[in-house]
C-alpha cells in the first residue's frame, strides 16, 4: 500500500495566513460530507465543479492513490472556477474528497441499477473490504495585485477496514427497498440501515461515511480553529 503521509504542493509563506479571514469551501455536493462539516460547526460554503473522473487501468488498480488524485482534481477545479468567476480576492481554502470501496482488487463504485447493487452487496457479504477516502486541501491567497498570489495544497488518504456479516437474500432485498444504496460507493451507507450489516470496523467510521473528519480536524487544526473563531 502506498504511503499514508500527506502529499504537499508548493510551499506557502506562513505569514500569508496571518490575520486573513478564511473562506472555506467544500468541493462536494455530498449531503453526508456537508452534514459532517455542519456537525463540527464550521463556517463553509458548498461549490462543486465538473471533473473527468475516468481513471486509467494503472490508477484504478491502486484505489488508495486514486481517491487522493480525484480529491485533488475536484478541489483544484473549484479553486480555478472561483478564481475565474469571482475575480477573487482573499484567502481561500478548498477541501475536496473522494471515496472508493475495494476488495480483492475490485473497486465498487456507485451501483448503476438494482441488480448491480445486489451484485455488490453479495460480493461484500461475509467478507472484509477497505474504504479509502482521499482528502485534498488547497490554500489560495489572492491579493490586490496579480503578483500577490500564492497557491499550495496538502493531500492524504485514510483507510478503514469494514467486515460485513453474512447477508441473506432478504437482507439485501429489504435494504434495496430503502433506496439507500443507489448514490453510495459499494452500494451501502454505514450511517443508514446498512449499519446493521457491519460486524467489525477497523478505522474511522467517518472515512466510510465519506470524509475522515477526525483526521482532518487534527491535521488542519490551524484552519479549523480560525474558521470557528471567525
Amino acid at each position: 500500500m502506498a504511503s499514508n503521509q500527506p502529499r504537499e504542493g508548493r510551499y506557502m509563506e506562513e505569514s500569508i495566513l496571518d490575520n486573513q479571514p478564511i473562506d472555506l469551501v467544500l468541493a462536494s455536493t455530498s449531503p453526508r460530507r456537508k452534514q459532517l462539516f455542519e456537525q463540527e460547526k464550521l463556517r463553509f460554503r458548498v461549490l462543486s465543479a465538473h471533473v473527468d473522473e475516468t481513471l486509467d487501468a494503472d490508477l484504478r488498480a491502486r484505489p488508495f492513490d486514486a481517491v487522493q488524485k480525484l480529491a485533488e482534481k475536484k478541489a483544484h477545479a473549484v479553486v480555478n472556477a472561483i478564481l475565474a468567476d469571482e475575480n477573487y480576492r482573499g484567502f481561500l481554502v478548498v477541501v475536496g474528497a473522494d471515496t472508493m470501496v475495494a476488495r480483492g482488487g475490485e473497486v465498487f463504485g456507485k451501483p448503476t441499477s438494482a441488480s448491480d447493487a445486489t451484485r455488490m452487496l453479495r460480493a461484500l457479504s461475509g467478507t472484509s473490504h477497505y474504504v479509502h477516502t482521499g482528502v485534498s486541501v488547497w490554500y489560495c491567497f489572492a491579493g490586490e495585485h496579480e503578483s500577490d498570489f500564492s497557491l499550495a495544497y496538502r493531500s492524504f488518504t485514510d483507510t478503514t477496514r469494514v467486515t460485513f456479516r453474512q447477508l441473506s437474500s432478504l437482507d439485501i432485498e429489504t435494504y434495496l427497498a430503502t433506496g439507500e444504496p443507489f448514490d453510495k460507493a459499494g452500494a451501502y451507507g454505514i450511517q443508514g440501515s446498512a449499519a446493521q450489516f457491519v460486524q467489525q470496523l477497523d478505522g474511522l467510521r467517518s472515512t466510510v461515511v465519506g470524509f475522515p473528519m477526525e483526521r482532518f480536524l487534527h491535521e488542519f487544526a490551524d484552519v479549523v480553529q480560525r474558521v470557528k473563531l471567525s
Side-chain angles (χ1 to χ4, degrees):
M1 185 176 283
S3 168
N4 208 25
Q5 293 301 309
R7 181 161 68 219
E8 305 217 7
R10 193 166 39 164
Y11 175 75
M12 177 180 278
E13 293 275 353
E14 286 296 323
S15 60
I16 289 176
L17 309 184
D18 295 342
N19 304 316
Q20 288 289 339
I22 292 177
D23 179 14
L24 180 63
V25 177
L26 175 61
S28 172
T29 56
S30 162
R32 294 164 293 281
R33 293 185 183 123
K34 182 174 181 285
Q35 185 177 39
L36 287 169
F37 272 59
E38 289 172 340
Q39 287 171 351
E40 293 301 323
K41 296 182 169 48
L42 297 173
R43 178 184 51 77
F44 70 101
R45 56 185 171 126
V46 171
L47 181 65
S48 66
H50 175 74
V51 298
D52 181 4
E53 297 188 31
T54 305
L55 300 171
D56 60 38
D58 179 61
L59 195 56
R60 188 170 177 80
R62 296 181 285 114
F64 183 94
D65 297 318
V67 288
Q68 193 171 122
K69 183 68 174 177
L70 288 174
E72 289 171 358
K73 287 179 70 174
K74 291 176 180 180
H76 191 201
V78 168
V79 169
N80 284 339
I82 290 174
L83 293 178
D85 296 343
E86 300 185 11
N87 192 25
Y88 194 85
R89 295 292 180 270
F91 182 34
L92 175 69
V93 175
V94 176
V95 182
D98 192 79
T99 300
M100 286 184 182
V101 174
R103 184 184 74 84
E106 182 178 0
V107 173
F108 298 82
K110 294 177 183 179
T112 56
S113 63
S115 59
D116 193 32
T118 299
R119 175 190 66 81
M120 291 184 188
L121 291 169
R122 283 178 177 162
L124 300 178
S125 172
T127 67
S128 294
H129 60 273
Y130 293 92
V131 181
H132 306 285
T133 295
V135 173
S136 187
V137 180
W138 288 65
Y139 301 78
C140 175
F141 178 75
E144 290 301 320
H145 305 289
E146 266 189 43
S147 59
D148 196 8
F149 181 84
S150 295
L151 184 69
Y153 70 89
R154 292 185 62 209
S155 304
F156 68 82
T157 297
D158 198 80
T159 298
T160 294
R161 184 173 182 262
V162 183
T163 303
F164 271 13
R165 64 173 173 82
Q166 196 70 42
L167 305 182
S168 68
S169 295
L170 181 59
D171 286 330
I172 295 174
E173 205 174 295
T174 302
Y175 185 55
L176 290 181
T178 68
E180 282 185 13
F182 300 105
D183 67 337
K184 298 172 180 67
Y188 77 93
I190 196 173
Q191 70 279 7
S193 302
Q196 63 184 308
F197 299 161
V198 179
Q199 191 173 70
Q200 186 172 333
L201 197 68
D202 300 300
L204 296 177
R205 181 180 179 275
S206 60
T207 294
V208 186
V209 174
F211 192 86
M213 183 56 75
E214 296 89 337
R215 184 167 173 185
F216 173 76
L217 294 176
H218 174 73
E219 297 202 10
F220 298 92
D222 54 338
V223 170
V224 171
Q225 183 179 19
R226 289 180 53 187
V227 167
K228 285 187 174 183
L229 290 175
S230 62

